[in-house]
């Protein structure tokens, strides 16, 4: 595992780091990406990063020039028009597409470009829309247009042959496996579909075959020779008519853009933030002239028409295909900034970027496959190349995987994501909007997918394991500024968090033998001096609490504890995780006065709320973490006070002290052995009885520290706890107690039932 950078360079030095460029990757990273210090950004498939020099050039350009709406003849408009024209040519050059054969249509992104094709393509009931299973949802979405016109839709698996490296354009190198035909129109005759395949239909119908240049799930690269084979009819698709080919290059074009002179696809889509980080919200449809002439756009807008009359049905669209297909004023300032991004790519060259990122991905992929538990069970299951029967299958700089425990069960991908954030590692989890590839590699059947949905699983939720199977995966991906240090940081994270030798105690924790002073829980005996050390009340959720020597109990537990919470303007519940500044707001309750006092370092005045005041006239229903509750709200005076009390947070890299208050406890107990509470089932404090509801799952809120009115954020203590207090994806510390009201028929405070500091605590493990 411990391989030095020198050894890595001996293996990959010819490809890593841009040895022939004006700046090497280390120099570029230090000068242009200072914001990445201490972290590893490994989500370039989601969005790569912009450089400081790139943004400085963009700002200088916009500050030095006047660019107006290009739909005019003024000097500023013509300046913008010239830049847009130059940008179109630069995009075509990037894909080696001749301006005589292709047009560049600017859109709001690759998704909008795909939508434009689906919306304007001449679908008929004789048409077929065929796409590979490994396609993004944005490609799948085109089928809605096709199905609505009665066309047939068909997903296929494309299996490349073993001699692909010797590709001579032969159909024998590909095996096309068809899935079920999809048709929606009621007037389509059943004889058009026979035995799960399409019968030949005559006519000059138009069809589309869509595939990604690189799968955004697995990183597998599809051979672009599919373009010619399909267009020339060398792959029998059992559908007559003219076939056009669409390439989703959103992922692949960052390192290997399709060469359209060699592989003349009809439609290619891309998003520029995937290539050089900025601008977002801008993409392009690169379309062949023949295909562009087929696109029929119904809607017209400003800039797309030569003439129109308001009160009669008369409109004459422009002849320029770019102007016809681009709605209204294009994002000309974003388009003007493209040249500053392409400047970086041209300096490094796409071939060097491809070699650089591939070297990192290959190194990490091989090291991951070598990781094993003590019983020789593989830790990592990698999707893509590992699943293919074809040796030497080309892979992009993407690694998608899941992790297994020593007993063969899966770590949930959300557990991996949460732990990665503690290590300063940015990665992505889920299915990445690619349901076909996700189901294929995870082995999820249609019934699995439906039952998962019925069990409540939707995109971006925490249901990462259902019925013992992962519902998604973890993905890392490298970009042009990624370094060996990023790769090594990630590998060390896997080693320390998922491959440590486990010791199974009776409380079920996986512990790291190298970082823990072991305690034999089985030898622990009852200690007579277990007592209540402190009591803390938190009236307002996520605000500071206050300590007391004694406090009354009610049927809900400690009186007034977490009885107030704050709601944002959008209806969301505010916590320190979202608004760390709440941690600087102090609270105090005076039971004799019947008042709640609240103060903030940013406010001179204290807020006073009566505990006895009735707010029945201001009651409403709110959603609190998925549950509906009837609550009482306050007037604008209180709302304004809290709005002004919220300041700004700070980041902290220094070591900060960690005490019990970091965990926002209500009760602190002294005298027992560390973590003995894990085994407690019940406990009695004085005359009050409590039942343990299990361990308390900790989040990053315990990493926030108050210092002189500022909220500082670090990685501790959660990172340390994660190394030895992790159980089934949860980081546990302390336990949750439920107060047992043994006095029957009482609904209010039980007379004389108080907790007091110093009371004896009697735990029970039975």
């Amino acid at each position: 595992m411990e391989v030095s950078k020198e050894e890595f360079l001996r293996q990959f030095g010819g490809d890593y780091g841009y040895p022939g460029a004006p700046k090497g990757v280390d120099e570029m990273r230090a000068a242009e990406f200072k914001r990445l210090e201490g972290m590893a950004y490994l989500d370039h498939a989601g969005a790569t990063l912009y450089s400081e020099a790139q943004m400085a050039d963009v700002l200088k350009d916009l500050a030095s020039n006047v660019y107006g709406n290009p739909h005019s003849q003024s000097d500023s408009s013509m300046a913008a028009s010239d830049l847009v024209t130059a940008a179109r040519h630069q995009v075509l050059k990037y894909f080696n597409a001749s301006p005589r054969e292709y047009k560049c249509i600017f859109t709001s992104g690759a998704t909008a470009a795909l939508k434009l094709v689906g919306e304007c393509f001449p679908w008929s009931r004789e048409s077929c829309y065929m796409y590979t299973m490994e396609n993004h949802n944005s490609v799948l979405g085109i089928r809605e247009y096709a199905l609505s016109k009665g066309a047939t839709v068909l997903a296929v698996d494309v299996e490349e042959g073993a001699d692909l490296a010797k590709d001579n354009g032969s159909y024998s190198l590909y095996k096309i496996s068809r899935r079920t035909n999809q048709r929606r129109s009621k007037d389509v005759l059943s004889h058009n579909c026979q035995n799960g395949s399409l019968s030949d239909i005559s006519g000059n119908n138009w069809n589309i075959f869509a595939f990604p240049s690189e799968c955004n799930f697995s990183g597998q690269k599809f051979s672009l020779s599919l373009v010619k084979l399909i267009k020339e009819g060398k792959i029998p698709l059992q559908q007559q008519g003219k076939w056009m080919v669409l390439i989703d290059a959103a992922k692949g074009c960052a390192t290997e853009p399709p060469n359209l002179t060699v592989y003349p696809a009809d439609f290619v889509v891309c998003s520029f933030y995937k290539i050089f980080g900025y601008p977002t919200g801008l993409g392009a449809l690169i379309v062949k002239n023949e295909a562009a002439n087929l696109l029929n756009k119904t809607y017209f807008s400003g800039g797309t028409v030569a003439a129109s009359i308001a009160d009669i049905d008369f409109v004459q669209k422009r002849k320029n295909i770019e102007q016809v297909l681009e709605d209204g004023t294009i994002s000309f300032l974003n388009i003007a900034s493209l040249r500053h991004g392409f400047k970086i790519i041209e300096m490094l060259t796409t071939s060097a970027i491809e070699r650089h990122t591939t070297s990192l991905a290959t190194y990490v992929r091989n090291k991951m496959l070598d990781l094993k538990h003590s019983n020789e069970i593989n830790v990592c299951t990698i999707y893509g190349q590992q699943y293919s029967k074809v040796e030497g299958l080309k892979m992009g700089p993407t690694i998608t995987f899941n992790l297994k425990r020593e007993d063969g069960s899966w770590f949930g991908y959300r557990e991996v994501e949460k732990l990665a954030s503690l290590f300063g590692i940015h990665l992505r989890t889920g299915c990445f909007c690619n349901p076909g590839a996700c189901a294929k590699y995870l082995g999820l059947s249609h019934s699995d997918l439906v039952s998962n949905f019925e069990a409540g699983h939707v995109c971006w939720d925490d249901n990462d394991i259902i019925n013992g199977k992962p519902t998604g995966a973890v993905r890392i991906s490298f970009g042009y500024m990624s370094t060996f240090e990023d790769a090594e940081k990630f590998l060390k994270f896997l080693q320390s968090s998922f491959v440590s030798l486990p010791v199974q105690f009776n409380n079920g924790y996986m512990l790291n033998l190298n970082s823990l002073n072991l305690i034999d829980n089985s030898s622990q005996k009852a200690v007579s001096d277990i007592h209540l050390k402190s009591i803390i009340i938190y009236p307002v959720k996520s605000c500071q609490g206050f300590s007391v020597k004694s406090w009354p109990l009610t049927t809900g537990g400690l009186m007034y504890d977490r009885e107030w919470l704050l709601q944002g303007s959008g209806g969301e519940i505010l916590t320190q995780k979202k608004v760390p500044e709440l941690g600087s707001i102090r609270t105090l309750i005076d039971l004799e006065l019947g008042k709640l006092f609240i103060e903030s370092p940013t406010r001179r005045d204290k807020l006073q709320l009566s505990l006895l005041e009735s707010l029945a006239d201001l009651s409403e229903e709110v959603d609190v973490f998925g549950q509906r509750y009837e609550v009482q709200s306050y007037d604008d005076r209180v709302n304004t006070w809290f709005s002004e009390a919220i300041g700004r947070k700070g980041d902290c890299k220094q070591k900060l002290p960690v005490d019990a208050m970091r965990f926002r406890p209500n009760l602190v107990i002294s005298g027992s052995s560390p973590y003995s509470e894990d085994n407690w089932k019940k406990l009695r404090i004085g005359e009050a009885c409590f039942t343990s509801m299990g361990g308390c799952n900790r989040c990053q809120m315990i990493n926030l520290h108050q210092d002189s009115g500022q909220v500082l954020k670090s990685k501790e203590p959660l990172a340390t706890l994660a190394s030895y207090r992790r159980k089934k994806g949860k980081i546990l510390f302390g336990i949750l107690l439920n107060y047992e009201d043994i006095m029957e028929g009482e609904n209010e405070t039980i007379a004389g039932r108080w907790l007091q500091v110093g009371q004896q605590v009697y735990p029970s493990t039975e």
Side-chain angles (χ1 to χ4, degrees):
M1 183 69 184
E2 291 295 333
V3 178
S4 68
K5 188 172 184 178
E6 289 73 19
E7 291 174 339
F8 166 81
L9 291 176
R10 279 197 292 271
Q11 184 177 1
F12 297 102
D15 297 323
Y16 173 80
Y18 314 109
K23 284 185 180 181
V25 68
D26 292 332
E27 181 184 357
M28 180 171 54
R29 180 70 171 260
E32 306 296 342
F33 298 92
K34 294 187 285 290
R35 63 190 186 276
L36 291 181
E37 183 181 355
M39 66 178 70
Y41 183 86
L42 298 176
D43 189 24
H44 296 273
T48 199
L49 301 174
Y50 52 81
S51 76
E52 293 178 23
Q54 175 188 355
M55 299 310 297
D57 288 343
V58 170
L59 180 59
K60 181 180 178 181
D61 186 1
L62 297 182
S64 305
N65 297 286
V66 178
Y67 299 123
N69 189 320
H71 292 164
S72 184
Q73 299 295 319
S74 68
D75 289 346
S76 58
S77 296
M78 294 304 296
S81 294
D82 290 343
L83 275 180
V84 170
T85 299
R88 294 191 202 276
H89 284 278
Q90 194 163 27
V91 173
L92 293 177
K93 178 183 176 182
Y94 186 71
F95 290 93
N96 198 22
S98 169
R100 294 188 299 272
E101 298 180 11
Y102 284 90
K103 295 292 186 290
C104 171
I105 314 298
F106 285 117
T107 65
S108 65
T111 294
L114 292 165
K115 181 175 181 289
L116 183 64
V117 173
E119 179 183 20
C120 301
F121 193 76
W123 303 108
S124 69
R125 71 176 194 170
E126 286 79 28
S127 298
C128 179
Y129 176 48
M130 188 178 294
Y131 53 84
T132 60
M133 281 291 289
E134 298 186 53
N135 257 309
H136 194 277
N137 264 329
S138 297
V139 177
L140 271 58
I142 292 177
R143 73 187 183 194
E144 296 301 305
Y145 293 104
L147 289 169
S148 68
K149 296 296 180 65
T152 298
V153 172
L154 190 60
V156 298
D157 290 298
V158 176
E159 185 177 339
E160 300 180 355
D163 296 327
L164 185 61
K166 305 174 184 178
D167 191 348
N168 58 4
S170 170
Y171 163 59
S172 62
L173 295 179
Y174 298 93
K175 178 183 178 182
I176 307 293
S177 302
R178 294 166 172 79
R179 301 292 181 112
T180 304
N181 291 333
Q182 306 170 54
R183 301 203 80 163
R184 190 173 292 170
S185 181
K186 295 180 180 179
D187 62 349
V188 176
L189 298 179
S190 59
H191 68 260
N192 287 341
C193 281
Q194 296 177 357
N195 299 323
S197 63
L198 291 172
S199 62
D200 291 344
I201 302 175
S202 60
N204 295 321
N205 52 294
W206 297 93
N207 315 294
I208 292 181
F209 184 92
F211 70 96
S213 60
E214 180 184 324
C215 174
N216 77 305
F217 183 94
S218 66
Q220 177 186 337
K221 291 185 177 182
F222 283 75
S223 174
L224 297 181
S225 54
L226 278 169
V227 175
K228 284 187 176 181
L229 294 175
I230 290 170
K231 289 180 67 65
E232 294 172 2
K234 293 182 179 179
I235 296 181
L237 300 179
Q238 296 187 355
Q239 179 76 16
Q240 289 189 352
K242 181 75 171 180
W243 278 95
M244 312 203 100
V245 178
L246 183 156
I247 298 177
D248 176 11
K251 171 62 180 74
C253 71
T255 55
E256 194 173 3
N259 185 333
L260 295 183
T261 296
V262 179
Y263 306 105
D266 300 283
F267 308 101
V268 177
V269 302
C270 70
S271 289
F272 296 107
Y273 72 93
K274 302 272 190 178
I275 305 173
F276 35 71
Y278 181 89
T280 58
L282 184 66
L285 168 65
I286 296 90
V287 55
K288 207 169 186 182
N289 291 338
E290 178 190 9
N293 292 330
L294 288 176
L295 300 181
N296 182 21
K297 193 171 181 66
T298 302
Y299 176 78
F300 68 88
S301 61
T304 67
V305 296
S308 66
I309 299 177
D311 58 345
I312 64 173
D313 184 12
F314 176 85
V315 62
Q316 186 64 46
K317 296 183 179 180
R318 291 184 180 273
K319 302 298 183 183
N320 185 305
I321 191 65
E322 294 100 330
Q323 292 175 324
V324 170
L325 294 178
E326 292 170 348
D327 290 334
T329 301
I330 54 180
S331 186
F332 59 93
L333 293 182
N334 278 339
I335 293 171
S337 71
L338 290 178
R339 56 179 174 163
H340 306 298
F342 278 119
K343 177 182 175 181
I344 299 171
I345 305 303
E346 290 170 353
M347 177 188 73
L348 300 176
T349 73
T350 54
S351 60
I353 292 172
E354 194 271 337
R355 294 194 304 273
H356 171 79
T357 54
T358 298
S359 69
L360 290 170
T362 301
Y363 169 73
V364 173
R365 192 178 289 113
N366 291 339
K367 291 297 177 185
M368 290 175 67
L369 291 175
D370 289 340
L371 290 177
K372 294 181 184 296
H373 289 293
S374 58
N375 61 355
E376 295 302 309
I377 292 289
N378 288 325
V379 176
C380 304
T381 297
I382 298 178
Y383 305 112
Q385 190 175 39
Q386 189 179 5
Y387 272 58
S388 176
K389 299 177 182 178
V390 180
E391 293 185 4
L393 190 68
K394 290 192 69 175
M395 300 294 294
T398 296
I399 306 172
T400 300
F401 62 95
N402 273 310
L403 303 174
K404 279 189 174 182
R405 295 185 174 88
E406 196 171 25
D407 62 3
S409 63
W410 298 97
F411 287 102
Y413 58 77
R414 284 289 288 132
E415 178 178 357
V416 179
E417 185 175 37
K418 290 175 182 177
L419 290 174
S421 68
L422 294 176
F423 282 76
I425 297 173
H426 300 253
L427 44 74
R428 189 167 292 259
T429 63
C431 278
F432 325 117
C433 297
N434 196 323
C438 189
K440 172 182 175 180
Y441 288 116
L442 299 183
L444 298 173
S445 65
H446 290 168
S447 60
D448 289 331
L449 297 172
V450 173
S451 63
N452 287 351
F453 177 75
E454 291 175 345
H457 173 56
V458 295
C459 296
W460 307 343
D461 67 12
D462 287 346
N463 294 321
D464 49 13
I465 304 289
I466 297 180
N467 296 325
K469 285 185 177 181
T471 60
V474 184
R475 185 184 74 186
I476 63 170
S477 48
F478 297 93
Y480 75 83
M481 78 296 296
S482 296
T483 63
F484 169 82
E485 287 72 23
D486 293 333
E488 196 73 356
K489 185 181 181 73
F490 171 73
L491 290 171
K492 288 180 178 178
F493 159 66
L494 290 184
Q495 178 73 48
S496 63
S497 300
F498 302 100
V499 199
S500 55
L501 294 177
V503 174
Q504 196 71 27
F505 285 135
N506 56 5
N507 58 7
Y509 290 102
M510 187 176 79
L511 304 178
N512 190 320
L513 290 172
N514 299 322
S515 64
L516 185 65
N517 293 323
L518 296 178
I519 298 172
D520 185 1
N521 284 348
S522 62
S523 65
Q524 292 178 5
K525 298 180 180 180
V527 181
S528 59
D529 192 29
I530 302 178
H531 62 276
L532 185 58
K533 182 179 180 181
S534 56
I535 303 172
I536 307 96
I537 309 300
Y538 301 89
V540 183
K541 184 172 177 61
S542 280
C543 294
Q544 289 187 24
F546 61 95
S547 295
V548 293
K549 292 295 184 181
S550 62
W551 198 256
L553 291 164
T554 68
T555 54
L558 292 165
M559 180 181 285
Y560 299 125
D561 184 67
R562 293 173 174 87
E563 194 158 312
W564 289 265
L565 53 79
L566 298 171
Q567 186 180 35
S569 58
E572 73 280 10
I573 302 303
L574 302 184
T575 68
Q576 279 195 45
K577 284 186 286 186
K578 295 180 179 179
V579 187
E581 299 78 19
L582 290 175
S584 65
I585 297 177
R586 298 181 291 275
T587 62
L588 177 68
I589 287 179
D590 190 316
L591 292 176
E592 293 184 359
L593 295 177
K595 287 188 176 183
L596 166 63
F597 297 92
I598 306 173
E599 59 181 1
S600 165
T602 63
R603 295 281 310 218
R604 292 184 178 180
D605 59 321
K606 290 184 180 180
L607 185 64
Q608 298 184 29
L609 300 178
S610 172
L611 303 178
L612 306 177
E613 179 183 357
S614 175
L615 299 173
D617 293 339
L618 297 173
S619 63
E620 59 178 287
E621 273 198 2
V622 299
D623 186 285
V624 182
F625 305 121
Q627 298 288 330
R628 300 294 295 179
Y629 294 93
E630 183 175 344
V631 301
Q632 295 177 323
S633 59
Y634 287 88
D635 55 25
D636 290 340
R637 176 184 67 88
V638 176
N639 295 333
T640 300
W641 190 95
F642 274 102
S643 296
E644 295 177 356
I646 295 174
R648 301 298 301 171
K649 70 176 180 180
D651 288 327
C652 182
K653 296 181 181 179
Q654 68 187 48
K655 291 186 177 180
L656 299 172
V658 177
D659 58 18
M661 294 305 100
R662 281 283 199 102
F663 300 91
R664 299 178 63 81
N666 285 120
L667 307 177
V668 179
I669 292 174
S670 178
S672 62
S673 301
Y675 306 124
S676 58
E677 69 272 13
D678 294 339
N679 298 316
W680 293 352
K681 299 294 189 294
K682 295 179 180 294
L683 71 155
R684 179 167 59 87
I685 305 175
E687 296 182 355
C689 296
F690 300 85
T691 299
S692 172
M693 300 174 66
C696 184
N697 186 22
R698 297 298 178 173
C699 65
Q700 297 206 31
M701 208 161 106
I702 66 174
N703 290 342
L704 302 176
H705 174 70
Q706 302 291 325
D707 184 26
S708 302
Q710 279 195 321
V711 182
L712 303 178
K713 185 177 181 180
S714 69
K715 296 178 181 178
E716 297 296 347
L718 196 60
T720 297
L721 288 175
S723 68
Y724 73 102
R725 291 288 297 175
R726 201 167 84 245
K727 182 178 181 181
K728 295 183 178 179
K730 298 179 179 180
I731 303 171
L732 303 180
F733 186 85
I735 58 175
L736 297 169
L737 295 179
N738 182 51
Y739 173 51
E740 298 291 340
D741 180 11
I742 60 174
M743 299 290 289
E744 297 182 0
E746 296 287 348
N747 294 321
E748 303 298 332
T749 305
I750 301 173
R753 187 62 59 80
W754 285 56
L755 291 183
Q756 292 185 335
V757 171
Q759 284 180 316
Q760 290 293 113
V761 176
Y762 302 94
S764 171
T765 58
E766 298 179 356

